[in-house]
Amino acid sequence: MRATQIGLASRPTENLTADDFEILDVELPSLTEGTVLVKNISMQLTSVMADLMRGEELPMPPYTEGQPLWGAAVGVVEQSKSHLFTPGDMVQSMNGWRTHFVAREDELFSVSANQFPRPEVLLCQGPTAYHGMVDIAEVGSGDTVFVTGAAGGVGSLAGQIARKRGAQRVVGTAGSDAKVAWLVDELGFDAAFNYKNPGIDEWLTSQFPHGFSVFFDTVGGSQFEMAVRHAGQDARFALCGTLSEQFAKDGSDPRPRFDIMTGIRKQLKILAFSTYHTPEQIQAWTTHYAQWLAEGEFRFPHTTVRGGLSAAPEGLISLTQSRHRGNVIVELN
Ligand SMILES: NC(=O)c1ccc[n+]([C@@H]2O[C@H](COP(=O)([O-])OP(=O)(O)OC[C@H]3O[C@@H](n4cnc5c(N)ncnc54)[C@H](OP(=O)(O)O)[C@@H]3O)[C@@H](O)[C@H]2O)c1
């Protein structure tokens, strides 16, 4: 059985191009006891994949030149030599960027058709958004919340999670007027601001006259510095990502400087976190997510890339050009 994979042709140093990807045609190994053959249906694209291609230092190992890329995917079992899976079962894996693959049963998560309306809703940054908002920021009733990168995969879920946990006010920043409108009109944010426009300082003052209580940061840079100025007393900062550093490679939004005296005066709780997708984190997220989706008050914020596996490289390039919103899914069928 042959499979098509997309691999890393060469390490980009700055912006991704189509030449950084290569198509690999491989023969899959025969099934042995405890393994299954899976046909992928959908895969996820995330901005961190660009960093893994560049080989940057991250909590996980980078992609390897000449080898297939990897990432979250959902698929259907086509053949099985496992007692745990039978043909037709839906599974989630980290074996994206390929049409088919053979894997050990312990590398796969079963996807319950009863729990979720469509398996691809699992291809999202929920475990990170949930862990950051709930375990790290401990968001709860009455909190006032500021989310940066709010129209991204993590941010678009983090804001909704804060609302579900009883936050009184949830606002965010995004990089276009269309994304700002989407946050307010479709995802239930109370307000949002296009950070590319002047006036973010005044806007934050109007949103939080007494400062906010929770900051969920996926951007860093000048927006982090702004957040320190607009934080309320004892505000909790959940530091998740550095999109400005990842994307603004020209140094136009340099690493933030932390005003320590303001932090001391306000007694800010600055908590940087990394999500390791432990079974407990996945379970906590999926249980709440399934319930919230079923209740109909929670959106799976996403962009769908069509055209099969060959459309995935361009989909990732578009993601790094800020042309998508929410979580980005490639339909592989
Ligand atoms: N700590 C953890 O465990 C963990 C886990 C997963 C991800 N992360 C990190 O969390 C961050 C968000 O991840 P994600 O998957 O949600 O990202 P994403 O959706 O893939 O981010 C893409 C978005 O970034 C925004 N962006 C681009 N350049 C920007 C700039 N200069 N300033 C501000 N925003 C910019 C764009 O939106 P606009 O058009 O709105 O600017 C773009 O659409 C990343 O830094 C990621 O590495 C951390």
Side-chain angles (χ1 to χ4, degrees), residues 44-48 51 58-59 125 128 131 149-156 173-176 179 195-196 217-219 223 239-248 252-253 273-277 318-328:
Q44 186 181 9
L45 297 176
T46 64
S47 56
V48 79
D51 301 319
L58 294 168
Q125 298 281 34
T128 297
H131 177 56
V154 179
S156 59
T173 53
S176 74
K179 288 183 181 181
Y195 66 85
K196 291 179 181 163
D217 191 17
T218 70
V219 169
Q223 293 194 55
L239 304 187
C240 176
T242 57
L243 285 169
S244 65
E245 208 172 300
Q246 288 163 264
F247 285 95
S252 56
D253 193 8
F273 70 95
S274 189
T275 316
Y276 288 102
H277 291 74
S318 294
L319 174 57
T320 64
Q321 295 167 344
S322 305
R323 288 201 257 133
H324 300 319
R325 62 188 190 189
N327 297 271
V328 184

Side-chain angles (χ1 to χ4, degrees), residues 245-259:
E245 208 172 300
Q246 288 163 264
F247 285 95
K249 295 283 181 202
D250 58 356
S252 56
D253 193 8
R255 279 190 179 167
R257 291 168 68 91
F258 179 43
D259 173 355

Side-chain angles (χ1 to χ4, degrees), residues 115-327:
Q115 204 181 10
F116 290 100
R118 306 186 312 281
E120 60 269 27
V121 302
L122 284 165
L123 296 178
C124 71
Q125 298 281 34
T128 297
Y130 189 88
H131 177 56
M133 235 350 150
V134 176
D135 303 331
I136 305 296
E138 298 186 32
V139 73
S141 180
D143 270 320
T144 50
V145 180
F146 174 35
V147 181
T148 58
V154 179
S156 59
L157 291 163
Q160 294 188 81
I161 291 166
R163 173 74 75 222
K164 277 297 190 187
R165 298 281 298 188
Q168 177 199 324
R169 185 159 189 81
V170 181
V171 313
T173 53
S176 74
D177 292 347
K179 288 183 181 181
V180 161
W182 180 63
L183 290 173
V184 174
D185 298 342
E186 298 191 37
L187 301 190
F189 280 64
D190 293 296
F193 189 83
N194 180 348
Y195 66 85
K196 291 179 181 163
N197 289 336
I200 186 168
D201 217 356
E202 295 75 11
W203 178 75
L204 279 169
T205 303
S206 72
Q207 294 302 312
F208 302 111
H210 308 293
F212 53 76
S213 60
V214 167
F215 179 47
F216 190 103
D217 191 17
T218 70
V219 169
S222 56
Q223 293 194 55
F224 171 85
E225 293 181 359
M226 196 79 68
V228 171
R229 290 204 286 281
H230 289 271
Q233 195 67 28
D234 296 313
R236 288 100 71 200
F237 280 39
L239 304 187
C240 176
T242 57
L243 285 169
S244 65
E245 208 172 300
Q246 288 163 264
F247 285 95
K249 295 283 181 202
D250 58 356
S252 56
D253 193 8
R255 279 190 179 167
R257 291 168 68 91
F258 179 43
D259 173 355
I260 297 176
M261 186 47 77
T262 299
I264 292 171
R265 185 169 52 78
K266 295 183 178 180
Q267 299 209 77
L268 301 181
K269 312 290 179 287
I270 310 278
L271 299 162
F273 70 95
S274 189
T275 316
Y276 288 102
H277 291 74
T278 61
E280 296 74 26
Q281 287 171 356
I282 300 219
Q283 173 80 18
W285 160 244
T286 50
T287 304
H288 288 92
Y289 185 37
Q291 183 191 333
W292 292 336
L293 285 177
E295 289 166 358
E297 293 166 14
F298 197 93
R299 296 285 301 272
F300 164 45
H302 68 285
T303 299
T304 303
V305 174
R306 298 196 168 79
L309 185 61
S310 59
E314 187 50 45
L316 184 58
I317 292 169
S318 294
L319 174 57
T320 64
Q321 295 167 344
S322 305
R323 288 201 257 133
H324 300 319
R325 62 188 190 189
N327 297 271

